């Protein structure tokens, strides 16, 4: 439901795979033939062996195929929205006689609500409601989005109650033995040591990540009933829960009225966002300290920080007392890798775009969240979303929750950065921080001034003594 302008314009599309007892989605990173043959097989074991393959395009999109009425569509799997829409004519679908508009942060799609058989590798959902959009320059024929967010945020369900239930609701309702959760794992395109397929599963856990079941269950916070259509998969960050590059916490004051502790920001986990959307104060605190960093307007992206690509940035998030370090390769992105012109820093170095971007859209006067943690964050965790009582007509009394399993090793991530950005030569210790030189210069000025003051005092003392001696001689 929430989407940045950059994500909307640059997203390529995802797909899902469903099995009868559980739903599984496999995401595959773009293959690098120079690297993949040398990688140990263990790196690929993190993705399920069956299901449809998804491709990762430069870490800005993950996509695959679904089948509607025996036609294939490439759809983005999106935890930030709740509805299914496709661009193009679904020939053997049934018209519901209703129209809908699905709104995103800076974009929308409109069209008739239709019903069709939806297939996911052996799993069939009959009369699945979806919006059929007219193909356009932005929404190519045969593409779309599949939302996995709470049904309360479904625009289709509001227009077509009952029949318009989102895909996950239909799956959970059809098979009551399937646990009401799904998980998501995103791969990293240029990771030289842990290049693996990403996955989405429904009702099951990836074999290599069963430890996630031992992680804290973080309650999904609910928005006021009057704003239920703005419900997302969101939770509270710990107080002082962002540790900056200097190892010190970055204070963030929540703008969400219903949050009791204003030092705990509400964050949305949205795999549809390429660049996490954060308050300007947070983005400034992360990037402004580095030599060569600059906040600027970038065509196709909006306002964002840029910094030398060779600058390593380390940030850690904290949820429920657990720490989640972020890979430095996820803290900035080379504009050329995503089809944008190259950027140069004020010092003449090749510059990258800081991925934690100040909000590019207006959240309104009474926002229900403080930041959106997109792909750049979610590549560092294996995430489980339990729907609890979010499912339509559910009798469950359990609160929905999120579990996060950290998958980033700090030492390994540093070496990855050195390999990818620095050509294998670790020069990170030589990088400067803004203000150090000026502070040193100021300190020297103080020392010189102090020495001068002492010299003046000494000279005055000597002059006073000499004058005193002369007066004595005259007497």
């Amino acid at each position: 439901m929430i989407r940045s302008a950059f994500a909307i314009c640059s997203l390529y599309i995802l797909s899902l795979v469903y099995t009868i007892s559980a739903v599984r989605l496999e995401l595959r990173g773009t293959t690098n033939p120079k690297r993949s043959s040398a990688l140990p097989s263990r790196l690929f074991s993190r993705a399920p062996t069956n299901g449809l393959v998804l491709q990762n395009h430069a870490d800005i999109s993950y996509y695959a195929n679904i089948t509607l009425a025996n036609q294939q569509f490439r759809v983005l799997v999106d935890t930030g929205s709740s509805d299914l829409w496709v661009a193009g004519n679904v020939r053997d679908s049934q018209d519901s006689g209703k129209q809908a508009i699905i709104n995103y942060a800076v974009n929308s799609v409109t069209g008739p609500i239709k019903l069709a058989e939806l297939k996911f590798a052996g799993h069939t959902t009959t009369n699945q409601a979806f919006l059929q959009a007219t193909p356009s320059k932005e929404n190519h024929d045969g593409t779309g989005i599949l939302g996995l967010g709470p049904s309360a945020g479904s625009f289709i369900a509001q227009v077509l109650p009952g029949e318009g239930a989102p895909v996950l609701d239909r799956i959970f309702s059809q098979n009551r033995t399937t646990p009401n959760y799904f998980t998501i794992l995103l791969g990293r395109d240029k990771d030289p040591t842990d290049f693996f397929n990403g996955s989405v599963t429904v009702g099951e856990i990836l074999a290599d990540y069963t430890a996630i079941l031992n992680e804290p269950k973080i309650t999904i916070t609910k928005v006021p009933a009057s704003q239920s259509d703005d419900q997302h998969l969101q939770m509270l960050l710990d107080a002082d829960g962002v540790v900056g590059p200097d190892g010190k916490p970055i204070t963030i004051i929540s703008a969400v009225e219903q949050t009791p502790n204003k030092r705990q920001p509400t964050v949305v986990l949205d795999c549809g966002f390429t660049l996490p959307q954060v308050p300007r104060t947070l983005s400034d605190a992360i990037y402004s300290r580095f030599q060569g960093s600059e906040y600027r307007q970038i065509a196709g992206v909006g306002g964002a920080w840029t910094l030398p690509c060779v600058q390593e940035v380390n940030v850690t998030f904290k949820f429920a007392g657990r720490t989640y370090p972020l890979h430095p390769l996820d803290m900035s992105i080379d504009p050329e890798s995503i089809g944008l012109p190259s950027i140069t820093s004020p010092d003449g170095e090749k510059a990258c775009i800081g991925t934690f971007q100040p909000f590019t859209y207006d959240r309104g006067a009474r926002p229900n969240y403080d930041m959106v943690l997109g792909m750049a964050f979610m590549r560092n965790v294996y995430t489980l979303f339990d729907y609890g009582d979010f499912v339509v007509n559910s009798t469950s009394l359990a609160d929905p929750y999120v579990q996060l399993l950290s998958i980033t090793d700090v030492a390994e991530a540093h070496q990855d950065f050195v390999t990818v950005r620095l050509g294998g030569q670790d020069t990170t210790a030589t990088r400067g921080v803004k203000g150090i030189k000026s502070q040193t210069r100021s300190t020297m000025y103080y020392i010189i001034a102090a020495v001068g003051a002492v010299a003046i005092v000494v000279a005055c003392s000597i002059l006073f003594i000499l004058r005193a001696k002369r007066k004595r001689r005259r007497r």
Side-chain angles (χ1 to χ4, degrees), residues 68 84 114-118 125-130 165-167 170:
L68 270 174
L84 168 63
K114 294 196 171 184
L115 306 173
E117 182 181 79
L118 182 63
T125 303
T126 60
N127 294 322
Q128 176 62 53
F130 66 96
V167 172
R170 293 292 306 280

Side-chain angles (χ1 to χ4, degrees), residues 438-469:
S438 60
Q439 288 173 8
T440 301
R441 189 178 295 111
S442 297
T443 301
M444 289 299 298
Y445 289 158
Y446 286 128
I447 293 175
I448 292 172
V451 171
V454 171
I456 292 172
V457 171
V458 171
C460 290
S461 299
I462 294 173
L463 182 60
F464 177 79
I465 294 173
L466 291 176
R467 286 182 176 179
K469 288 182 176 180

